[in-house]
């Protein structure tokens, strides 16, 4: 199979995961990397044995052999870099979120449509074996009709990391940084949503963080505890909490309560299991064998899926439409809290097609 050449813009922390995982896909090859800081790009290429060259962003975008570019820049730059990629006539696959607000995301979607180019967006963890198994169990009726559920991602946040302030600034926080995994997983499991009713708060205006040797005070510019209910179009009511205010808890990442049983869905920030089910009449949970592959870190599978989708003309799964809907849901938490009212969602999306059974590792369907 001929491999489609793809570029990567943004050579920071997560890029190694992409460079390593991309090797397993038979349909893509990394052709070049770039960063706003050329030295960072050069070091990254060297760290990967110069399997691909480091280029400036302009050089990478001018390379006619590159068809798709993965955007691994910081959230505030996602929309602008996506637009640069699209203006250069290339398909774009961005890290999450699609934009830090709906206006930004709308502009990206509009340009992609005008240029007839594909726009994809992380997370693609919902294509992992854990989430795909959970999806199959729901689709096959193992818990009956989904009625309700919970999605919880609770912790203190990366408050001690050297670049901690980034995670407590606009465009991040527990909802926009971690929410995309959970909300996208829920859309994959249940389909699109209809409304959000929520309340949000923060525990303090500042935090002290950074490495122990140089602790510093930084401002908290986002809400850090968001709690609410998403009403899905299928009727299911899912209670969601995303928080950077919690030291310890005992909740499962996601549970779906159906008319015939309960499904425990694995952490959607990973590709694996476990998936556990309790059906009416069981004595205890049963751990389900995973029906699908891609159970280890496969970030970039969303981009590889675009390449196969382009060849056959089918929709790609980690789509801009999905990411836009997820973004509207996430932003609706603060909006609902500020309004003191239920927010009816304006966007929708198609539930992404499940991956077929029996794919070899590195393979995707046509
Ligand atoms: N680090 C993680 O564990 C992780 C996990 C999953 C997803 N992500 C997401 O991946 C993205 C990148 O995260 P990271 O941790 O690698 O960040 P990072 O800060 O380590 O790296 C970002 C890189 O992008 C470059 N950059 C910024 N603006 C640019 C621009 N306009 N043009 C070109 N390059 C630009 C920076 O110079 C930097 O090298 C974020 O959206 C983040 O949410 C990160």
């Amino acid at each position: 199979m001929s491999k489609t050449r793809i570029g990567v813009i943004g050579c920071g922390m997560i890029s190694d995961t992409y460079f390593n995982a991309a090797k397993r896909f038979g349909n893509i090859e990394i052709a070049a990397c770039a960063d706003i800081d050329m030295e960072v790009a050069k070091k990254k290429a060297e760290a990967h044995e110069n399997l691909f060259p480091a280029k400036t962003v302009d050089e990478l975008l001018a390379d006619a052999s590159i068809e798709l570019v993965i955007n691994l820049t910081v959230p505030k730059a996602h929309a602008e870099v996506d637009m640069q990629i699209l203006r250069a006539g290339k398909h774009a696959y961005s890290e999450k979120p699609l934009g830090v607000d709906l206006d930004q995301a709308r502009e990206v979607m509009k340009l992609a449509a005008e240029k007839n180019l594909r726009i994809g967006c992380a997370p693609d963890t919902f294509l992992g074996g854990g989430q795909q198994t959970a999806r199959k169990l729901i689709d096959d009726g193992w818990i009956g009709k989904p009625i309700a559920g919970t999605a919880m991602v609770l912790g203190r946040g990366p408050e001690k990391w050297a670049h901690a302030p980034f995670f407590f600034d606009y465009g991040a926080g527990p909802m926009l940084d971690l929410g995309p995994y959970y909300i996208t997983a829920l859309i994959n499991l249940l389909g699109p949503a209809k409304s959000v009713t929520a309340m949000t708060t923060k525990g303090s205006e500042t935090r002290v963080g950074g490495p122990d040797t140089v602790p510093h005070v930084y401002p908290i510019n986002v809400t850090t505890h968001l709690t609410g209910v998403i009403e899905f179009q299928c009727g299911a009511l899912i209670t969601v909490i995303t928080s950077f205010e919690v030291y310890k808890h005992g909740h499962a990442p996601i549970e779906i309560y159906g008319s015939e049983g309960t499904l425990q869905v694995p952490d959607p920030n990973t590709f694996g299991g476990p998936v556990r089910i309790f059906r009416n009449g069981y004595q205890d949970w049963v751990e389900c064998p995973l029906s699908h592959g891609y159970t280890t870190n496969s970030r970039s599978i969303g981009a590889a899926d675009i390449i196969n989708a382009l060849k056959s003309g089918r929709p790609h799964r980690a789509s801009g439409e999905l990411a836009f809907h997820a973004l509207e849901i996430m932003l609706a938490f603060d909006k609902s809290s500020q309004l003191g009212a239920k927010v009816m969602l304006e966007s929708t999306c198609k539930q992404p097609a499940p991956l077929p059974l029996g794919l070899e590792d590195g393979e995707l369907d046509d």
Side-chain angles (χ1 to χ4, degrees):
M1 185 197 297
S2 70
K3 294 193 174 197
T4 299
R5 287 164 63 76
I6 64 177
V8 172
I9 298 180
C11 295
M13 197 170 165
I14 197 62
S15 63
D16 290 315
T17 306
Y18 275 80
F19 291 131
N20 292 330
K23 288 179 194 151
R24 70 201 284 178
F25 295 102
N27 63 350
I28 54 173
E29 66 175 310
I30 305 287
C33 70
D35 196 283
I36 204 165
D37 183 338
M38 190 61 197
E39 283 310 306
V40 169
K42 277 186 188 157
K43 280 197 186 128
K44 193 58 70 172
E46 278 163 25
H48 289 268
E49 297 166 332
N50 292 311
L51 288 171
F52 43 81
K55 297 191 173 195
T56 65
V57 171
D58 286 345
E59 283 168 354
L60 185 148
L61 293 176
D63 183 338
S65 73
I66 292 176
E67 288 181 40
L68 179 146
V69 180
I70 297 180
N71 173 3
L72 304 181
T73 62
V74 292
K76 279 181 183 169
H78 287 172
E80 184 45 43
V81 172
D82 279 347
M83 307 271 274
Q84 282 179 265
I85 297 165
L86 295 166
R87 281 191 211 105
K90 301 178 192 307
H91 307 287
Y93 179 85
S94 174
E95 249 304 335
K96 45 77 187 169
L98 190 56
V100 297
D101 58 41
L102 287 178
D103 286 343
Q104 277 192 353
R106 219 173 261 122
E107 287 295 303
V108 173
M109 296 295 287
K110 189 165 160 260
L111 186 61
E114 278 167 15
K115 297 236 166 219
N116 197 22
L117 290 165
R118 300 278 184 127
I119 175 86
C121 189
D124 52 10
T125 41
F126 75 92
L127 299 175
Q131 298 299 319
Q132 288 293 312
T133 300
R135 166 74 181 271
K136 182 160 173 49
L137 288 164
I138 291 178
D139 284 358
D140 290 353
W142 283 81
I143 59 163
K145 177 181 158 50
I147 294 163
T150 57
M152 308 269 180
V153 53
L154 315 172
R156 289 292 297 173
E159 61 185 354
K160 303 287 182 203
W161 288 19
H163 58 312
F166 160 96
F167 292 97
F168 292 83
D169 201 359
Y170 304 109
M175 187 53 93
L176 286 194
D177 186 50
L178 295 174
Y181 298 103
Y182 290 75
I183 305 301
T184 308
L186 289 172
I187 298 171
N188 174 53
L189 295 172
L190 301 169
K194 194 169 156 188
S195 74
V196 172
T197 310
M199 292 188 76
T200 66
T201 189
K202 58 171 120 164
S204 60
E205 292 301 326
T206 57
R207 281 200 196 187
V208 182
D212 290 341
T213 44
V214 263
H216 58 279
V217 178
Y218 58 89
I220 310 300
N221 292 328
V222 287
T223 53
T224 47
H225 188 91
L226 302 93
T227 177
V229 176
I230 305 175
E231 178 191 16
F232 282 80
Q233 290 180 20
C234 68
L237 302 180
I238 309 297
T239 303
V240 175
I241 308 180
T242 66
S243 182
F244 283 170
E245 299 290 349
V246 176
Y247 285 100
K248 197 160 179 65
H249 71 92
H251 298 287
I254 298 178
E255 291 188 342
I256 306 293
Y257 310 127
S259 56
E260 309 294 331
T262 295
L263 191 66
Q264 265 193 354
V265 180
D267 180 351
N269 196 354
T270 67
F271 282 79
V275 177
R276 303 202 307 164
I277 193 165
F278 183 97
R279 297 186 79 199
N280 185 12
Y282 283 14
Q283 295 301 307
D284 204 350
W285 293 106
V286 171
E287 185 168 337
C288 305
L290 299 187
S291 54
H292 288 70
Y294 295 116
T295 57
T296 57
N297 203 330
S298 314
R299 283 175 204 251
S300 72
I301 187 173
D305 184 54
I306 293 181
I307 300 306
N308 272 31
L310 278 166
K311 285 181 185 149
S312 63
R314 69 164 167 80
H316 55 285
R317 292 176 170 92
S319 67
E321 184 198 32
L322 169 62
F324 187 93
H325 188 51
L327 183 63
E328 193 193 1
I329 294 172
M330 292 188 287
L331 294 173
F333 276 69
D334 276 337
K335 190 173 169 185
S336 170
S337 185
Q338 284 154 12
L339 294 171
K342 172 156 113 173
V343 171
M344 299 307 295
L345 300 166
E346 289 174 8
S347 68
T348 187
C349 68
K350 288 200 179 67
Q351 188 178 20
L355 284 176
L357 293 171
L359 290 177
E360 297 286 329
D361 192 66
E363 185 196 15
L364 283 154
D365 52 332
D366 291 329

